[in-house]
Amino acid sequence: MTMTVTRVLDAFVARIDGVQLRNDHSPATLAIIEDALDRYAVVVLPAQHLSDDDQIEVSKGFGGLSYALNHGRAVGQNARLRPELYDISNLDETHGILGEADRRRQWREADKLWHTDRSFIAADTTYSFLSGRVVPPTGGNTDFADMRAVYDDLSASMKARIADLEAVHSIWRSRALAGGVDFRPDEIATMPPVTQPLVRVHPRTGRKSVVLASHASEIVGMPLDEGRALLAELTAFAVQPRYCHSHVWSEGDLVIWDNRCTMHRGTPFDDKAWRRDMRRTTVQGPSTYASATA
Ligand code: OGA
Ligand code: MN
């Protein structure tokens, strides 16, 4: 079977068939995927059934990995997965469903807010690879928004207003919005806030996107309320159904997205009854954020 890239459902999500990445992650194959990511922004590769080693190997073909810090664990508590893999599950280190009061449950709540991965660090988080190892029978979709289309559709006056603005991004902002938890000073100290422009130019495609995330807490140089109101207005515009796609998981799916031009969020499911074992690898490079006027 030959590898095919098919546009699915929404303008920015492609489905790729005819390749098994565990057997083939040659540069030529990865180049087809990266080209599809440039053209679309999210790609779905069904029935990949990757092992941890496979997923790490494939992801490394796209750049250096970032490592999971496993925040939200109690002191001395083991991680369930090795550090190349972000644990996007409702499971504890024995692979059982997290207890109701487990603070790792609280930590993952923020995934249900619209965000881009790791906009709270200065480096560029380029691609995220999320593999569905165990998926619940219903719910637990991942929603995506196309921030290039969002930018294109902004009014000329809004484009002018945001062209040179920067936002402060902090992981503690999204955690607070998700309900908060008493995070430890040692956890907080590892993730100081950073600033990111509100508009960025994609280094591969030259297309502009609006940079938003639930990590964005304020606009630099603007009163707090005014900045938050602007972020809320832009976010409400961005997550209109016409810019969004909801991925319904099947076991074995690999979904790859470009954080430089999308936002995403998880959707609820009965997380006390069903296991949802998702593992994410994340590729990071030096910052290529560039302001709209650069
Ligand atoms: C992620 C994420 C949402 C989900 O993996 O980065 O936000 O659907 N996932 O689990
Ligand atoms: Mn995420």
Side-chain angles (χ1 to χ4, degrees), residues 111-174:
D111 289 343
K112 300 196 186 103
L113 304 172
W114 284 102
H115 65 282
T116 55
D117 288 334
R118 297 169 59 75
S119 66
F120 46 80
I121 59 154
D124 243 5
T125 296
T126 54
Y127 304 114
S128 291
F129 302 72
L130 191 60
S131 115
R133 308 295 179 88
V134 178
V135 306
T138 172
N141 298 352
T142 307
D143 293 345
F144 293 94
D146 180 357
M147 302 307 285
R148 306 164 303 186
V150 168
Y151 179 81
D152 290 347
D153 284 358
L154 291 178
S155 66
S157 62
M158 182 60 96
K159 283 179 182 161
R161 183 173 174 209
I162 67 176
D164 295 318
L165 294 180
E166 292 189 320
V168 177
H169 290 239
S170 164
I171 193 167
W172 309 111
R173 172 67 179 158
S174 54

Short mmCIF file of all heavy atoms in Angstrom, two decimals, residues 111-174:
data_model
loop_
_atom_site.label_atom_id
_atom_site.label_comp_id
_atom_site.label_asym_id
_atom_site.label_seq_id
_atom_site.Cartn_x
_atom_site.Cartn_y
_atom_site.Cartn_z
N ASP A 111 -5.41 20.42 30.91
CA ASP A 111 -5.41 20.00 29.51
C ASP A 111 -6.77 20.23 28.85
O ASP A 111 -6.87 20.23 27.62
CB ASP A 111 -5.07 18.51 29.38
CG ASP A 111 -3.61 18.21 29.68
OD1 ASP A 111 -2.80 19.15 29.67
OD2 ASP A 111 -3.30 17.02 29.93
N LYS A 112 -7.78 20.40 29.66
CA LYS A 112 -9.13 20.59 29.10
C LYS A 112 -9.40 22.05 28.74
O LYS A 112 -10.47 22.40 28.25
CB LYS A 112 -10.19 20.08 30.08
CG LYS A 112 -10.03 18.58 30.39
CD LYS A 112 -11.29 17.99 31.02
CE LYS A 112 -11.06 16.56 31.46
NZ LYS A 112 -10.86 16.45 32.91
N LEU A 113 -8.44 22.91 29.02
CA LEU A 113 -8.55 24.31 28.58
C LEU A 113 -7.78 24.45 27.27
O LEU A 113 -6.75 23.80 27.07
CB LEU A 113 -7.92 25.23 29.63
CG LEU A 113 -8.47 25.09 31.05
CD1 LEU A 113 -7.62 25.91 32.02
CD2 LEU A 113 -9.93 25.53 31.09
N TRP A 114 -8.26 25.30 26.39
CA TRP A 114 -7.56 25.51 25.11
C TRP A 114 -6.12 25.98 25.37
O TRP A 114 -5.91 26.92 26.14
CB TRP A 114 -8.29 26.55 24.27
CG TRP A 114 -9.54 26.03 23.63
CD1 TRP A 114 -10.82 26.25 24.05
CD2 TRP A 114 -9.62 25.22 22.45
NE1 TRP A 114 -11.69 25.62 23.19
CE2 TRP A 114 -10.99 24.98 22.20
CE3 TRP A 114 -8.67 24.67 21.57
CZ2 TRP A 114 -11.44 24.22 21.12
CZ3 TRP A 114 -9.12 23.92 20.49
CH2 TRP A 114 -10.48 23.69 20.27
N HIS A 115 -5.16 25.34 24.74
CA HIS A 115 -3.77 25.72 24.96
C HIS A 115 -2.89 25.27 23.80
O HIS A 115 -3.32 24.51 22.93
CB HIS A 115 -3.24 25.09 26.27
CG HIS A 115 -3.18 23.59 26.23
ND1 HIS A 115 -4.28 22.79 26.40
CD2 HIS A 115 -2.13 22.74 26.05
CE1 HIS A 115 -3.92 21.52 26.32
NE2 HIS A 115 -2.61 21.46 26.10
N THR A 116 -1.67 25.78 23.80
CA THR A 116 -0.62 25.20 22.98
C THR A 116 0.39 24.62 23.96
O THR A 116 0.57 25.16 25.05
CB THR A 116 0.08 26.24 22.08
OG1 THR A 116 0.55 27.29 22.93
CG2 THR A 116 -0.85 26.83 21.08
N ASP A 117 1.02 23.53 23.58
CA ASP A 117 1.91 22.87 24.53
C ASP A 117 3.14 23.73 24.80
O ASP A 117 3.81 24.20 23.88
CB ASP A 117 2.35 21.50 23.99
CG ASP A 117 1.19 20.51 24.04
OD1 ASP A 117 0.29 20.68 24.88
OD2 ASP A 117 1.20 19.56 23.22
N ARG A 118 3.40 23.93 26.08
CA ARG A 118 4.65 24.52 26.54
C ARG A 118 4.90 25.94 26.00
O ARG A 118 6.05 26.35 25.85
CB ARG A 118 5.82 23.59 26.21
CG ARG A 118 5.69 22.26 26.96
CD ARG A 118 6.68 21.21 26.48
NE ARG A 118 8.05 21.63 26.63
CZ ARG A 118 8.71 21.67 27.78
NH1 ARG A 118 8.13 21.30 28.88
NH2 ARG A 118 9.95 22.07 27.82
N SER A 119 3.85 26.72 25.79
CA SER A 119 4.09 28.12 25.42
C SER A 119 4.68 28.88 26.60
O SER A 119 5.11 30.02 26.46
CB SER A 119 2.80 28.80 24.95
OG SER A 119 1.88 28.92 26.01
N PHE A 120 4.74 28.22 27.77
CA PHE A 120 5.28 28.87 28.98
C PHE A 120 6.78 28.68 29.11
O PHE A 120 7.36 29.00 30.15
CB PHE A 120 4.57 28.32 30.23
CG PHE A 120 4.44 26.82 30.22
CD1 PHE A 120 5.51 26.02 30.59
CD2 PHE A 120 3.27 26.21 29.82
CE1 PHE A 120 5.41 24.64 30.56
CE2 PHE A 120 3.15 24.82 29.78
CZ PHE A 120 4.23 24.04 30.15
N ILE A 121 7.43 28.13 28.08
CA ILE A 121 8.90 28.12 28.09
C ILE A 121 9.40 28.91 26.88
O ILE A 121 8.67 29.07 25.89
CB ILE A 121 9.50 26.70 28.10
CG1 ILE A 121 9.05 25.91 26.89
CG2 ILE A 121 9.19 25.97 29.38
CD1 ILE A 121 10.02 24.84 26.53
N ALA A 122 10.64 29.36 26.96
CA ALA A 122 11.15 30.26 25.94
C ALA A 122 11.45 29.54 24.63
O ALA A 122 11.38 30.13 23.56
CB ALA A 122 12.40 30.97 26.46
N ALA A 123 11.79 28.26 24.69
CA ALA A 123 12.10 27.54 23.46
C ALA A 123 10.82 27.31 22.65
O ALA A 123 9.71 27.47 23.16
CB ALA A 123 12.75 26.20 23.79
N ASP A 124 11.01 26.97 21.40
CA ASP A 124 9.89 26.68 20.52
C ASP A 124 9.45 25.24 20.70
O ASP A 124 10.23 24.33 20.43
CB ASP A 124 10.41 26.77 19.07
CG ASP A 124 9.73 27.86 18.31
OD1 ASP A 124 8.95 28.59 18.89
OD2 ASP A 124 10.02 27.95 17.11
N THR A 125 8.23 25.03 21.13
CA THR A 125 7.71 23.66 21.10
C THR A 125 7.06 23.50 19.73
O THR A 125 6.08 24.16 19.42
CB THR A 125 6.72 23.45 22.25
OG1 THR A 125 7.45 23.59 23.46
CG2 THR A 125 6.11 22.07 22.20
N THR A 126 7.67 22.66 18.92
CA THR A 126 7.20 22.56 17.53
C THR A 126 6.08 21.52 17.45
O THR A 126 4.91 21.87 17.43
CB THR A 126 8.37 22.23 16.61
OG1 THR A 126 9.05 21.06 17.08
CG2 THR A 126 9.37 23.38 16.58
N TYR A 127 6.45 20.23 17.46
CA TYR A 127 5.44 19.20 17.25
C TYR A 127 5.16 18.42 18.54
O TYR A 127 6.06 18.15 19.32
CB TYR A 127 5.90 18.21 16.19
CG TYR A 127 6.24 18.87 14.88
CD1 TYR A 127 7.56 18.86 14.41
CD2 TYR A 127 5.26 19.53 14.13
CE1 TYR A 127 7.88 19.48 13.21
CE2 TYR A 127 5.59 20.15 12.93
CZ TYR A 127 6.90 20.13 12.48
OH TYR A 127 7.22 20.75 11.31
N SER A 128 3.88 18.05 18.69
CA SER A 128 3.50 17.11 19.74
C SER A 128 2.96 15.86 19.06
O SER A 128 2.25 15.95 18.05
CB SER A 128 2.41 17.71 20.63
OG SER A 128 2.93 18.77 21.40
N PHE A 129 3.32 14.72 19.62
CA PHE A 129 2.91 13.41 19.09
C PHE A 129 2.13 12.73 20.20
O PHE A 129 2.70 12.39 21.23
CB PHE A 129 4.13 12.53 18.78
CG PHE A 129 5.09 13.13 17.79
CD1 PHE A 129 5.90 14.21 18.15
CD2 PHE A 129 5.18 12.62 16.51
CE1 PHE A 129 6.77 14.77 17.24
CE2 PHE A 129 6.06 13.17 15.59
CZ PHE A 129 6.85 14.25 15.96
N LEU A 130 0.85 12.54 19.99
CA LEU A 130 0.04 11.93 21.04
C LEU A 130 -0.45 10.58 20.55
O LEU A 130 -1.08 10.48 19.49
CB LEU A 130 -1.13 12.84 21.39
CG LEU A 130 -1.93 12.46 22.65
CD1 LEU A 130 -1.03 12.45 23.90
CD2 LEU A 130 -3.09 13.44 22.86
N SER A 131 -0.11 9.55 21.31
CA SER A 131 -0.49 8.22 20.90
C SER A 131 -1.54 7.68 21.87
O SER A 131 -1.41 7.80 23.08
CB SER A 131 0.76 7.37 20.74
OG SER A 131 0.86 6.34 21.61
N GLY A 132 -2.59 7.15 21.28
CA GLY A 132 -3.72 6.63 22.05
C GLY A 132 -3.49 5.15 22.33
O GLY A 132 -3.67 4.33 21.45
N ARG A 133 -3.07 4.86 23.56
CA ARG A 133 -2.78 3.45 23.89
C ARG A 133 -4.04 2.75 24.39
O ARG A 133 -4.31 1.61 24.04
CB ARG A 133 -1.67 3.39 24.92
CG ARG A 133 -0.40 4.17 24.58
CD ARG A 133 0.30 3.60 23.35
NE ARG A 133 1.50 4.39 23.05
CZ ARG A 133 2.70 4.15 23.56
NH1 ARG A 133 2.89 3.17 24.40
NH2 ARG A 133 3.73 4.92 23.23
N VAL A 134 -4.76 3.42 25.30
CA VAL A 134 -6.05 2.91 25.78
C VAL A 134 -7.00 4.09 25.73
O VAL A 134 -6.68 5.16 26.28
CB VAL A 134 -5.96 2.38 27.23
CG1 VAL A 134 -7.33 1.90 27.72
CG2 VAL A 134 -4.93 1.25 27.35
N VAL A 135 -8.13 3.94 25.06
CA VAL A 135 -9.05 5.08 24.96
C VAL A 135 -10.40 4.68 25.54
O VAL A 135 -10.80 3.52 25.45
CB VAL A 135 -9.18 5.59 23.50
CG1 VAL A 135 -7.81 5.90 22.92
CG2 VAL A 135 -9.92 4.63 22.61
N PRO A 136 -11.10 5.64 26.16
CA PRO A 136 -12.40 5.32 26.76
C PRO A 136 -13.44 5.08 25.66
O PRO A 136 -13.26 5.54 24.54
CB PRO A 136 -12.72 6.56 27.59
CG PRO A 136 -11.96 7.67 26.95
CD PRO A 136 -10.73 7.06 26.34
N PRO A 137 -14.52 4.40 25.97
CA PRO A 137 -15.52 4.09 24.94
C PRO A 137 -16.26 5.33 24.45
O PRO A 137 -16.73 5.36 23.32
CB PRO A 137 -16.48 3.13 25.63
CG PRO A 137 -16.26 3.31 27.10
CD PRO A 137 -14.85 3.77 27.27
N THR A 138 -16.31 6.34 25.29
CA THR A 138 -16.98 7.56 24.86
C THR A 138 -16.35 8.77 25.56
O THR A 138 -15.87 8.64 26.70
CB THR A 138 -18.51 7.47 25.13
OG1 THR A 138 -19.10 8.74 24.87
CG2 THR A 138 -18.83 7.09 26.56
N GLY A 139 -16.31 9.90 24.86
CA GLY A 139 -15.68 11.11 25.40
C GLY A 139 -14.17 11.04 25.29
O GLY A 139 -13.61 10.12 24.68
N GLY A 140 -13.50 12.04 25.86
CA GLY A 140 -12.04 12.06 25.79
C GLY A 140 -11.52 12.34 24.39
O GLY A 140 -10.46 11.84 24.00
N ASN A 141 -12.25 13.16 23.63
CA ASN A 141 -11.74 13.58 22.32
C ASN A 141 -10.62 14.60 22.53
O ASN A 141 -10.45 15.14 23.62
CB ASN A 141 -12.82 14.29 21.50
CG ASN A 141 -14.02 13.39 21.19
OD1 ASN A 141 -13.98 12.19 21.47
ND2 ASN A 141 -15.05 13.98 20.64
N THR A 142 -9.89 14.88 21.47
CA THR A 142 -8.98 16.03 21.50
C THR A 142 -9.45 17.02 20.43
O THR A 142 -9.59 16.64 19.27
CB THR A 142 -7.53 15.60 21.27
OG1 THR A 142 -7.20 14.57 22.21
CG2 THR A 142 -6.58 16.77 21.49
N ASP A 143 -9.72 18.24 20.85
CA ASP A 143 -10.18 19.28 19.93
C ASP A 143 -9.00 20.13 19.49
O ASP A 143 -8.09 20.41 20.29
CB ASP A 143 -11.18 20.21 20.64
CG ASP A 143 -12.49 19.53 21.02
OD1 ASP A 143 -12.76 18.43 20.51
OD2 ASP A 143 -13.23 20.12 21.82
N PHE A 144 -9.04 20.58 18.25
CA PHE A 144 -7.97 21.43 17.70
C PHE A 144 -8.57 22.69 17.07
O PHE A 144 -9.69 22.66 16.56
CB PHE A 144 -7.20 20.66 16.61
CG PHE A 144 -6.43 19.50 17.16
CD1 PHE A 144 -6.99 18.22 17.16
CD2 PHE A 144 -5.17 19.66 17.70
CE1 PHE A 144 -6.30 17.13 17.69
CE2 PHE A 144 -4.47 18.60 18.23
CZ PHE A 144 -5.03 17.33 18.22
N ALA A 145 -7.80 23.77 17.10
CA ALA A 145 -8.19 25.02 16.42
C ALA A 145 -7.04 25.47 15.52
O ALA A 145 -5.87 25.35 15.89
CB ALA A 145 -8.51 26.11 17.44
N ASP A 146 -7.39 25.96 14.36
CA ASP A 146 -6.40 26.39 13.35
C ASP A 146 -6.13 27.88 13.52
O ASP A 146 -6.93 28.72 13.09
CB ASP A 146 -6.97 26.10 11.96
CG ASP A 146 -6.04 26.50 10.84
OD1 ASP A 146 -4.96 27.07 11.11
OD2 ASP A 146 -6.38 26.25 9.67
N MET A 147 -5.02 28.20 14.13
CA MET A 147 -4.74 29.60 14.49
C MET A 147 -4.25 30.43 13.29
O MET A 147 -4.14 31.65 13.41
CB MET A 147 -3.72 29.65 15.63
CG MET A 147 -4.17 28.90 16.88
SD MET A 147 -5.80 29.39 17.49
CE MET A 147 -5.39 30.96 18.24
N ARG A 148 -3.96 29.77 12.15
CA ARG A 148 -3.64 30.53 10.93
C ARG A 148 -4.93 31.09 10.34
O ARG A 148 -5.01 32.26 9.98
CB ARG A 148 -2.95 29.62 9.90
CG ARG A 148 -1.75 28.90 10.44
CD ARG A 148 -1.35 27.74 9.54
NE ARG A 148 -2.47 26.82 9.37
CZ ARG A 148 -2.39 25.67 8.73
NH1 ARG A 148 -1.25 25.27 8.19
NH2 ARG A 148 -3.46 24.90 8.62
N ALA A 149 -5.95 30.23 10.25
CA ALA A 149 -7.24 30.69 9.73
C ALA A 149 -7.82 31.76 10.65
O ALA A 149 -8.43 32.73 10.18
CB ALA A 149 -8.20 29.50 9.62
N VAL A 150 -7.60 31.59 11.94
CA VAL A 150 -8.07 32.58 12.91
C VAL A 150 -7.41 33.92 12.62
O VAL A 150 -8.07 34.96 12.52
CB VAL A 150 -7.78 32.11 14.35
CG1 VAL A 150 -7.98 33.24 15.35
CG2 VAL A 150 -8.65 30.90 14.69
N TYR A 151 -6.10 33.91 12.46
CA TYR A 151 -5.40 35.17 12.16
C TYR A 151 -5.93 35.78 10.87
O TYR A 151 -6.25 36.98 10.83
CB TYR A 151 -3.87 34.96 12.05
CG TYR A 151 -3.20 36.26 11.72
CD1 TYR A 151 -2.93 37.19 12.73
CD2 TYR A 151 -2.93 36.62 10.40
CE1 TYR A 151 -2.40 38.44 12.42
CE2 TYR A 151 -2.40 37.86 10.08
CZ TYR A 151 -2.13 38.76 11.10
OH TYR A 151 -1.61 40.00 10.80
N ASP A 152 -6.02 34.97 9.83
CA ASP A 152 -6.45 35.49 8.52
C ASP A 152 -7.80 36.19 8.62
O ASP A 152 -8.03 37.18 7.93
CB ASP A 152 -6.55 34.35 7.50
CG ASP A 152 -5.17 33.80 7.12
OD1 ASP A 152 -4.16 34.44 7.44
OD2 ASP A 152 -5.12 32.70 6.51
N ASP A 153 -8.69 35.67 9.46
CA ASP A 153 -10.05 36.20 9.54
C ASP A 153 -10.22 37.36 10.52
O ASP A 153 -11.31 37.91 10.63
CB ASP A 153 -11.03 35.08 9.93
CG ASP A 153 -11.31 34.14 8.76
OD1 ASP A 153 -10.78 34.40 7.65
OD2 ASP A 153 -12.06 33.17 8.95
N LEU A 154 -9.18 37.72 11.25
CA LEU A 154 -9.31 38.88 12.14
C LEU A 154 -9.54 40.14 11.32
O LEU A 154 -9.04 40.25 10.19
CB LEU A 154 -8.03 39.07 12.98
CG LEU A 154 -7.72 38.03 14.05
CD1 LEU A 154 -6.38 38.37 14.72
CD2 LEU A 154 -8.83 37.92 15.09
N SER A 155 -10.23 41.10 11.89
CA SER A 155 -10.43 42.37 11.19
C SER A 155 -9.09 43.07 11.03
O SER A 155 -8.15 42.83 11.80
CB SER A 155 -11.38 43.26 11.99
OG SER A 155 -10.75 43.62 13.21
N ALA A 156 -9.02 43.94 10.05
CA ALA A 156 -7.78 44.69 9.84
C ALA A 156 -7.41 45.49 11.08
O ALA A 156 -6.23 45.60 11.45
CB ALA A 156 -7.93 45.61 8.63
N SER A 157 -8.42 46.01 11.77
CA SER A 157 -8.10 46.83 12.95
C SER A 157 -7.56 45.94 14.08
O SER A 157 -6.64 46.34 14.80
CB SER A 157 -9.30 47.65 13.40
OG SER A 157 -10.36 46.80 13.77
N MET A 158 -8.11 44.73 14.22
CA MET A 158 -7.58 43.84 15.26
C MET A 158 -6.16 43.40 14.90
O MET A 158 -5.28 43.34 15.77
CB MET A 158 -8.50 42.63 15.45
CG MET A 158 -8.04 41.69 16.56
SD MET A 158 -7.94 42.50 18.19
CE MET A 158 -9.54 42.04 18.89
N LYS A 159 -5.92 43.10 13.64
CA LYS A 159 -4.55 42.73 13.23
C LYS A 159 -3.56 43.84 13.58
O LYS A 159 -2.47 43.59 14.09
CB LYS A 159 -4.50 42.44 11.72
CG LYS A 159 -5.07 41.09 11.35
CD LYS A 159 -5.01 40.88 9.83
CE LYS A 159 -5.65 39.54 9.48
NZ LYS A 159 -6.04 39.44 8.09
N ALA A 160 -3.97 45.06 13.32
CA ALA A 160 -3.09 46.19 13.62
C ALA A 160 -2.90 46.34 15.13
O ALA A 160 -1.79 46.62 15.60
CB ALA A 160 -3.66 47.48 13.03
N ARG A 161 -3.99 46.10 15.87
CA ARG A 161 -3.92 46.28 17.33
C ARG A 161 -2.96 45.28 17.98
O ARG A 161 -2.24 45.61 18.91
CB ARG A 161 -5.33 46.12 17.90
CG ARG A 161 -5.43 46.35 19.38
CD ARG A 161 -6.87 46.34 19.85
NE ARG A 161 -6.90 46.44 21.30
CZ ARG A 161 -7.86 45.93 22.08
NH1 ARG A 161 -8.88 45.32 21.54
NH2 ARG A 161 -7.80 46.05 23.38
N ILE A 162 -2.95 44.06 17.49
CA ILE A 162 -2.16 43.02 18.17
C ILE A 162 -0.78 42.80 17.57
O ILE A 162 0.02 42.05 18.14
CB ILE A 162 -2.92 41.67 18.24
CG1 ILE A 162 -3.10 41.05 16.85
CG2 ILE A 162 -4.26 41.84 18.96
CD1 ILE A 162 -3.75 39.66 16.88
N ALA A 163 -0.50 43.47 16.46
CA ALA A 163 0.73 43.16 15.71
C ALA A 163 1.99 43.19 16.57
O ALA A 163 2.87 42.35 16.41
CB ALA A 163 0.87 44.12 14.53
N ASP A 164 2.08 44.14 17.46
CA ASP A 164 3.32 44.28 18.24
C ASP A 164 3.16 43.93 19.71
O ASP A 164 4.04 44.22 20.51
CB ASP A 164 3.84 45.72 18.13
CG ASP A 164 4.25 46.04 16.70
OD1 ASP A 164 4.89 45.17 16.08
OD2 ASP A 164 3.90 47.14 16.20
N LEU A 165 2.04 43.31 20.05
CA LEU A 165 1.81 43.00 21.47
C LEU A 165 2.45 41.67 21.86
O LEU A 165 2.62 40.77 21.03
CB LEU A 165 0.31 42.95 21.76
CG LEU A 165 -0.45 44.26 21.61
CD1 LEU A 165 -1.93 44.06 21.93
CD2 LEU A 165 0.16 45.35 22.50
N GLU A 166 2.78 41.60 23.14
CA GLU A 166 3.30 40.36 23.70
C GLU A 166 2.45 39.97 24.91
O GLU A 166 1.93 40.84 25.61
CB GLU A 166 4.73 40.54 24.18
CG GLU A 166 5.72 40.76 23.05
CD GLU A 166 7.15 40.71 23.55
OE1 GLU A 166 7.43 41.23 24.65
OE2 GLU A 166 7.98 40.13 22.84
N ALA A 167 2.37 38.66 25.14
CA ALA A 167 1.64 38.17 26.32
C ALA A 167 2.60 37.44 27.25
O ALA A 167 3.60 36.88 26.80
CB ALA A 167 0.51 37.22 25.89
N VAL A 168 2.29 37.48 28.52
CA VAL A 168 3.04 36.71 29.52
C VAL A 168 2.39 35.33 29.62
O VAL A 168 1.17 35.24 29.78
CB VAL A 168 2.98 37.41 30.90
CG1 VAL A 168 3.70 36.57 31.96
CG2 VAL A 168 3.58 38.81 30.82
N HIS A 169 3.21 34.29 29.48
CA HIS A 169 2.69 32.91 29.58
C HIS A 169 3.31 32.24 30.80
O HIS A 169 4.52 32.25 30.97
CB HIS A 169 3.05 32.10 28.33
CG HIS A 169 2.33 32.51 27.10
ND1 HIS A 169 1.52 31.65 26.37
CD2 HIS A 169 2.28 33.71 26.44
CE1 HIS A 169 1.01 32.30 25.34
NE2 HIS A 169 1.46 33.53 25.34
N SER A 170 2.45 31.62 31.58
CA SER A 170 2.93 30.89 32.76
C SER A 170 2.08 29.64 32.96
O SER A 170 0.85 29.70 32.87
CB SER A 170 2.83 31.78 34.00
OG SER A 170 2.95 30.98 35.17
N ILE A 171 2.76 28.55 33.24
CA ILE A 171 2.00 27.32 33.48
C ILE A 171 1.09 27.47 34.69
O ILE A 171 0.03 26.85 34.77
CB ILE A 171 2.95 26.12 33.65
CG1 ILE A 171 2.13 24.83 33.58
CG2 ILE A 171 3.77 26.19 34.93
CD1 ILE A 171 2.93 23.58 33.42
N TRP A 172 1.46 28.35 35.61
CA TRP A 172 0.66 28.50 36.83
C TRP A 172 -0.65 29.21 36.56
O TRP A 172 -1.61 29.04 37.31
CB TRP A 172 1.50 29.18 37.92
CG TRP A 172 2.80 28.46 38.04
CD1 TRP A 172 4.04 28.90 37.70
CD2 TRP A 172 2.96 27.09 38.45
NE1 TRP A 172 4.96 27.90 37.87
CE2 TRP A 172 4.33 26.78 38.33
CE3 TRP A 172 2.09 26.10 38.88
CZ2 TRP A 172 4.85 25.51 38.63
CZ3 TRP A 172 2.59 24.84 39.18
CH2 TRP A 172 3.95 24.57 39.06
N ARG A 173 -0.71 29.95 35.46
CA ARG A 173 -1.97 30.59 35.09
C ARG A 173 -2.99 29.53 34.66
O ARG A 173 -4.13 29.54 35.12
CB ARG A 173 -1.71 31.59 33.95
CG ARG A 173 -2.96 32.18 33.34
CD ARG A 173 -3.69 33.09 34.32
NE ARG A 173 -4.89 33.67 33.70
CZ ARG A 173 -5.91 34.14 34.39
NH1 ARG A 173 -5.91 34.12 35.70
NH2 ARG A 173 -6.96 34.65 33.76
N SER A 174 -2.58 28.59 33.80
CA SER A 174 -3.55 27.57 33.36
C SER A 174 -3.94 26.66 34.52
O SER A 174 -5.07 26.21 34.62
CB SER A 174 -3.00 26.76 32.19
OG SER A 174 -1.74 26.21 32.49
#
